[in-house]
Amino acid sequence: HLERANAQIGGVDNTLSLIGPMIGGALILIISPVTLLWLNAISFLIAGLIALMIKEKELPITTGKIHIWREMWLGIKDSRKNKVIWNGAILFFFIQLGTTLFQANLAYFATGILHGNSFDYGLFLSGTGIGALIGVMLAPRIIKHFRSHSGKLIIFCAIFSGLSLSIISAFHLKNFILISCALGLSALFDNIIVISYFSLRQRVVAAEILGRVVSVTRTISYLSIPIGAFVGGILLNYHLSIYWIIWIAVIIEILSAVWAYFTPLAKTIAE
């Protein structure tokens, strides 16, 4: 039941990601941004207090000294041994790079280029959230159907995610609703990718090294976020059109997916 469990976790995450922008977009029309920041800070305090009430499960005591750098190195070695998971992590890096290149500047696109307001920006976030939520609802059935071809499913969803973003540039969209739909469609495929990869990783990696492998592969994908945001900001600073930045993001995603098709990730994964 890995796919269903991962989808449920993703569903909770994306539902909250959907509700948050909608509430924020509505509140900012009523109260000042400074007051909203204080409310946000209070919400973190409440979350922390709730976390303190969670009963911790007793775990066996680890004997011996743990060497963090040694554990990290072992995680890298274990990850590289599994070519399917390793190539999937590299594909994730480039998918995140392309996505962040554009989406890190989403607020500027909504307010600075399209001259929208906070509510319009909230539409972008809500569209992304709705698409992500639909993605996690569809993912278990789709993954179950293509379980023996999990790698190819990830690769083709990466291509479809890029093509969904390309709609914004291809038609030079300026309508907030249409852009939100394109963002939602891209998020739909992105979430199928995430749940597929997580489930695949949990199936093919031994339980005793899964924690290390998850840490390493997640770090690889997260490294692309500051790089994408930084490069996207530089490109905008040099007056490159946001629509061209989207094209660059699309090209990165599609080319990385084509590369991944010729790696072990694309090979059939037997259950």
Side-chain angles (χ1 to χ4, degrees), residues 13 16 50 100 114 120 140 142 178 229:
D13 185 31
L16 296 175
I50 292 172
T100 311
L114 299 182
D120 296 321
I142 294 173
L178 293 178

Side-chain angles (χ1 to χ4, degrees), residues 124-168:
F124 285 177
L125 298 179
S126 297
T128 303
I130 292 171
L133 193 56
I134 294 172
V136 298
M137 291 170 64
L138 295 176
R141 292 184 180 181
I142 294 173
I143 297 169
K144 185 178 180 181
H145 187 72
F146 294 99
R147 180 173 289 182
S148 60
H149 302 280
S150 299
K152 287 182 179 178
L153 176 63
I154 293 169
I155 291 167
F156 282 106
C157 282
I159 293 173
F160 291 139
S161 175
L163 291 175
S164 301
L165 277 182
S166 72
I167 294 171
I168 300 172

